[in-house]
């Protein structure tokens, strides 16, 4: 049979766990924001690369869209 913990000991563990959870949530939120920002940067870079390739190709936007739809 397991030893029963006292109420103050349980309350202390609860507070410690709540604190750890809050810290983990802050880290999760911060990493989520960082990931979102990195995805935005990647999308902008890809868009710039596409525009540069389009300009070098000499094709029109309509020709590009026709090609992409096929």
């Amino acid at each position: 049979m397991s030893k029963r913990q006292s109420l103050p000991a349980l309350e202390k563990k609860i507070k410690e766990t709540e604190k750890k959870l809050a810290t983990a949530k802050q880290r999760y939120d911060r990493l989520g924001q960082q990931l979102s920002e990195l995805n935005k940067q990647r999308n902008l870079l890809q868009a710039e690369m596409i525009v540069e390739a389009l300009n070098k190709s000499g094709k029109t936007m309509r020709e590009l869209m026709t090609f992409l739809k096929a």
Side-chain angles (χ1 to χ4, degrees):
M1 185 176 253
S2 66
K3 179 183 170 189
R4 291 182 71 185
Q5 294 183 356
S6 68
L7 185 58
L10 282 173
E11 302 239 353
K12 181 180 178 185
K13 283 188 176 183
I14 288 170
K15 287 196 185 293
E16 288 172 355
T17 304
E18 286 173 341
K19 198 182 253 188
K20 287 179 186 177
L21 183 61
T23 301
K25 185 180 182 317
Q26 288 174 348
R27 183 171 186 262
Y28 172 85
D29 291 343
R30 187 172 58 250
L31 288 172
Q33 181 64 33
Q34 183 180 8
L35 178 59
S36 177
E37 190 60 38
L38 289 169
N39 281 326
K40 284 180 188 176
Q41 290 176 10
R42 180 187 60 195
N43 290 343
L44 286 172
L45 183 57
Q46 288 175 339
E48 289 173 6
M49 292 169 68
I50 290 169
V51 169
E52 186 177 317
L54 177 63
N55 289 337
K56 285 182 181 178
S57 74
K59 303 290 183 187
T60 66
M61 180 63 116
R62 179 173 285 185
E63 291 171 320
L64 174 65
M65 295 310 294
T66 301
F67 173 78
L68 291 175
K69 288 180 182 178

